Every structure is written in C-alpha cells, then in structure tokens.
Amino acid sequence: MKLQRHAYKLVGVLIILITVGACSTPRQTLNIRQDPPSDIPLQQELVSTPFFPQEKYHCGPAALAMVINFRDIEVKPDEIVPLIYVPGRKGSLQEEVIAAARRYDLLPVKLDGELKSILREIASGNPVLVMQNLGLNFYPKWHYAVAVGYDLSEQTIVLRSGLNERLVRSFSLFERTWKRSGYWSLAIVPPGVIPSTVDTDEFLDTVIEFEQTGRSSPAHRAYLSAASKWPSSLMAQIGIGNTAYALGEYPKSESAYKKALELSPEKAEVWNNLAYALVKQGKSTESLDAIGMALQISPDNANYLESQAELRQWAGKLN
Amino acid sequence: MSIQKAMKSIALSVLFAVGVVSFSIPAQAAMVATAHMNGITDSQVFGQKVMQEKRDWIQTQLETSGVSRADSVLRVSGLSDSQVIQVHQRMDEMPAGGDALSVALVVFIVLVITDVMGATDIFPFIRPAPK
C-alpha cells in the first residue's frame, strides 16, 4: 500500500519533469518565429501528395509509398513491405528506406536537419519524409510521416501520418518529436531534380551511392543536372564520364573526362579513365597518350601500369 | 522444322554473343570508380572480403528477424558500402519506425498526460493545450 503510494508519487514527479521540458519553445521554432524565412510563401501545401493509411507497424512502407507515388510511380505500401519491413523489430530501418527509394530510380537526399529546410523543400515542391519519436527518449515510439505543408502565420506543419491524411501540428510539437530522431529528414526526388536546400557535396555524395548500387542511367541524369547547376564541380563531370562509360556511351564519356581535366589537369584517375573511353572508340594512339599522362603524374602507380599493359594489348589487336 | 530453325538461330546468336564478348576489352578492372575519386572509400579501408562479411552478417540478422532469404539477399544488395558499415555497426540500436498506437495500459495514462502537455504526440486526437 505504502509502496503503491510511492510509485504514484514517482510517476507524478516523472510527468512534471517531462512536461517542464515541453513548456519551453524549442530552438528551431523560436528561430522561425523571430526570423521567419522570407524567401518562401507564407503558406504552402502539396495537396496532390497521395495518402495511404498505414497498416499495423507499417508506417514506413505507407510513408515511402506516398512520396514515390507523388512522382507518378505507382506502388502500393504492400509492395514496399518486403523491401524494408523487419518483423522482429516491428518497424523499418532508415537505411533500408533509403535503399528502397533507390530501387524506384529515385534519389534519397538527406536534408540538413533544419525545420526551415523542410519548409523550403515543400515550397519548392518536394514533400519530405521525416522520422519522429512520438514517445519519449526512454519510451520511444518511432514513426515515419510525410511533411506536405506549412503555415507560417499559424506556425503549423501539415503531415500525412499513420491513419491521418491531414494531421496539423504546431512547429513546436513537431520539432520536439522530430528532434528525438536526430532531425532525420529525406527529400526523395527524381534524378533531374536537385532539392533546393542541399549543397554540391551533399548532393553528389548521394548520387555516388546511387551509382554505386548499380543505377547507372538515373545516376547519369543526376550528374548532368548537378553539372548544369554547379558547372565548376569536378565530381559531377567525373560522374557523368563514369556513368556514360558504364552505359556504353563512350564519346559522351570522353567529353566529360576532358571537361574534368580542364577543371583539374592533375587528376591522374581521370586520365586513366579517359584512356579507356578512347580505346573503346578505337582511338588507340590517343588512349596510350592519356594513360601516359596518368603515369607522368603518378609514376609507379600499380593501377595505371596495369591499365597501360591492358590498353597496349588491346591497341595491338586494333591495329 | 520451325523448332529446328529456332534452335539454329539461337545457337548462332549465342556464338555471335560469345564472339562479341571475347573481342571486347577484357575487363573494366582498371577503371577508377567515382566513389574512389571522391576520397578514401569504405571498401578500400576494410577490403572487399571484410565488406562481404559485413553484408553476410546483415543478411543473417534480417533472416533471423523474420525476413525471407530471397528478400534479405535483395535488400542487402541494395545497400551502399557506407550504409553497410553503419548498419553493421549499430543495427540493434537503430530506430525502427513502425507504429505509435500500441501502448501498454500503464503507460497509456502517462502518455495521455504528456500528450496534453505537448511533450509527446502518441494520440493524434489530442492537441496539446495552447501556450
């Protein structure tokens, strides 16, 4: 009996402690209130974002299906379940959500964790997949939702969440639950689109992983859009060259490597790859010149020596 | 007759394909991947063998968590090297987003109160008191 009373007291103290934290306005919300972003409309909502109510434990597949269908790719949450759901965990891991998006030839671009960035992405037409902990740090309830709208005058965000097609939450409540996931937020875009809030390196890192997992053709398109937005990006040109090569488009590959070498003439790896793009077109003399350049920059490099031997052999066959 | 013809054309195209393959460049072994030009990659740090072991480990974990073998093989193949490192390092601590509405009764009351106070957001029908 006495013990029970102590337990009640403990619970009471706990609630007070938790709610004291909830009473202060969280940092990012405060920042938006004091310094609202002036480059976006006061209010925006991507009403065409489809909604799939989640089945038990399946908020991941439901949320992912919404952002994929938004890009006119038809897929049902049930089809995504075998790609991301972990029955033993009664949920889906973030890294698998990212990997699954790639299977639909969409680029999963991680955002910087600023609430303002979510608003800016919505304003530029990109719904944002977010992870929240709707419970508490020591009693987590991990949840995926899609942010589709906001209202700066009301200080609210609009979510497609769980069974709710249009859940309106104050910035401060959203920020508290979102903060517990480490502000995890993902824009999932087609390869020709670059999320408005990401910088060159972040975007290209995403595209490189995209290429690495075998999506050469959409990766090629993504590199092309990166190169037109950031013309001085060396990695964008290299990416164009390597993906064009993988797709068998050697003249395109050659011209991208040459642009890369204009930006960075000492990049021996590019000379090496250029040599391959040239020999594939039957330009054996130029090819051997190119691999010669690579070896001039880094003599004794085993990879380039191997390339040279291979290219000589092949050039011999050509002549 | 028509089957024979089909067989013949299949055989011819196979021969042709083999011919084309053997005439092309042996391998792209010496091409440098984009990831490798972007800095030191995980596979360079750990080596291919260790990376494969990590992938195998994740696949086993998925299978023991109830994912079918075919699905887990497919899923692991879709992870990039850096994702493999991350998942391998801390798969058990990684949050798995699932369902908010499965709460034990004891905790229910606490969460209703914390929801009202705006610390949690378990029950969508509860809007925290305005401040």
Side-chain angles (χ1 to χ4, degrees), chain A residues 32-50:
Chain A
I32 290 178
R33 210 174 280 171
Q34 289 163 350
D35 177 26
S38 53
D39 54 332
I40 55 172
L42 261 183
Q43 189 223 331
Q44 189 68 261
E45 189 167 339
L46 303 169
V47 287
S48 66
T49 316

Side-chain angles (χ1 to χ4, degrees), chain B residues 6-39:
Chain B
M7 291 287 277
K8 211 173 177 183
S9 67
I10 288 171
L12 274 175
S13 48
V14 167
L15 272 176
F16 180 73
V18 170
V20 167
V21 169
S22 57
F23 276 116
S24 65
I25 291 182
Q28 300 186 4
M31 279 282 287
V32 184
T34 319
H36 290 215
M37 292 197 217
N38 197 35

Side-chain angles (χ1 to χ4, degrees), chain A residues 7-86:
Chain A
Y8 283 140
K9 265 188 209 161
L10 198 69
V11 170
V13 170
L14 215 60
I15 292 173
I16 291 165
L17 280 177
I18 291 163
T19 48
V20 161
C23 284
S24 61
T25 307
R27 174 181 63 84
Q28 295 199 28
T29 303
L30 201 63
N31 176 267
I32 290 178
R33 210 174 280 171
Q34 289 163 350
D35 177 26
S38 53
D39 54 332
I40 55 172
L42 261 183
Q43 189 223 331
Q44 189 68 261
E45 189 167 339
L46 303 169
V47 287
S48 66
T49 316
F51 173 64
F52 296 103
Q54 78 161 92
E55 307 272 330
K56 200 167 171 60
Y57 307 132
H58 289 177
C59 65
L64 189 54
M66 294 185 232
V67 288
I68 294 175
N69 278 273
F70 179 79
R71 306 296 176 178
D72 295 324
I73 299 167
E74 268 181 50
V75 61
K76 295 201 170 64
D78 282 353
E79 297 165 54
I80 298 176
V81 171
L83 292 178
I84 62 172
Y85 185 59
V86 185

Side-chain angles (χ1 to χ4, degrees), chain A residues 11-317:
Chain A
V11 170
V13 170
L14 215 60
I15 292 173
I16 291 165
L17 280 177
I18 291 163
T19 48
V20 161
C23 284
S24 61
T25 307
R27 174 181 63 84
Q28 295 199 28
T29 303
L30 201 63
N31 176 267
I32 290 178
R33 210 174 280 171
Q34 289 163 350
D35 177 26
S38 53
D39 54 332
I40 55 172
L42 261 183
Q43 189 223 331
Q44 189 68 261
E45 189 167 339
L46 303 169
V47 287
S48 66
T49 316
F51 173 64
F52 296 103
Q54 78 161 92
E55 307 272 330
K56 200 167 171 60
Y57 307 132
H58 289 177
C59 65
L64 189 54
M66 294 185 232
V67 288
I68 294 175
N69 278 273
F70 179 79
R71 306 296 176 178
D72 295 324
I73 299 167
E74 268 181 50
V75 61
K76 295 201 170 64
D78 282 353
E79 297 165 54
I80 298 176
V81 171
L83 292 178
I84 62 172
Y85 185 59
V86 185
R89 297 286 307 272
K90 294 186 173 126
S92 308
L93 303 175
Q94 291 147 303
E95 297 306 324
E96 289 212 282
V97 169
I98 291 172
R102 288 196 286 252
R103 290 199 182 276
Y104 295 90
D105 283 350
L106 294 172
L107 265 178
V109 188
K110 249 187 225 169
L111 302 181
D112 62 5
E114 289 293 315
L115 183 51
K116 275 182 186 172
S117 297
I118 293 186
L119 309 187
R120 288 196 171 105
E121 290 302 339
I122 292 170
S124 56
N126 301 318
V128 178
L129 186 65
V130 293
M131 186 185 232
Q132 300 164 277
N133 173 2
L134 299 176
L136 297 157
N137 282 332
F138 56 86
Y139 188 79
K141 286 286 162 191
W142 300 107
H143 181 65
Y144 292 103
V146 181
V148 298
Y150 65 83
D151 188 331
L152 281 172
S153 49
E154 296 287 320
Q155 298 273 295
T156 53
I157 189 161
V158 183
L159 304 157
R160 304 254 188 279
S161 173
L163 299 173
N164 298 275
E165 182 163 3
R166 193 173 181 280
L167 187 70
V168 182
R169 282 300 184 244
S170 69
F171 284 159
S172 56
L173 178 57
F174 172 75
E175 185 180 341
R176 262 179 235 124
T177 58
W178 181 48
K179 182 186 178 184
R180 297 181 192 129
S181 78
Y183 304 110
W184 192 82
S185 43
L186 201 64
I188 294 179
V189 297
V193 172
I194 300 176
S196 55
T197 61
V198 295
D199 66 28
T200 325
D201 288 346
E202 286 164 342
F203 185 72
L204 286 172
D205 283 348
T206 308
V207 186
I208 288 169
E209 282 187 78
F210 202 48
E211 183 193 347
Q212 208 183 45
T213 47
R215 329 297 297 183
S216 298
S217 174
H220 184 71
R221 259 175 289 152
Y223 283 128
L224 284 175
S225 51
S228 70
K229 183 167 181 179
W230 299 296
S232 60
S233 165
L234 173 67
M235 286 315 296
Q237 293 300 338
I238 290 172
I240 293 172
N242 283 356
T243 47
Y245 186 93
L247 294 166
E249 302 193 37
Y250 307 118
K252 278 188 191 168
S253 166
E254 177 190 339
S255 75
Y257 291 141
K258 284 183 172 165
K259 276 184 202 162
L261 288 168
E262 275 168 34
L263 295 165
S264 177
E266 297 290 297
K267 194 90 174 161
E269 299 102 311
V270 181
W271 284 110
N272 175 81
N273 288 8
L274 173 64
Y276 277 90
L278 289 165
V279 81
K280 283 279 192 178
Q281 301 173 72
K283 304 178 182 174
S284 44
T285 319
E286 286 178 61
S287 167
L288 293 175
D289 287 348
I291 195 64
M293 285 299 294
L295 280 162
Q296 201 177 314
I297 296 161
S298 30
D300 310 327
N301 179 300
N303 190 18
Y304 307 149
L305 286 169
E306 195 187 309
S307 295
Q308 194 179 42
E310 195 175 46
L311 291 162
R312 271 184 184 152
Q313 202 185 356
W314 211 60
K317 270 189 204 167

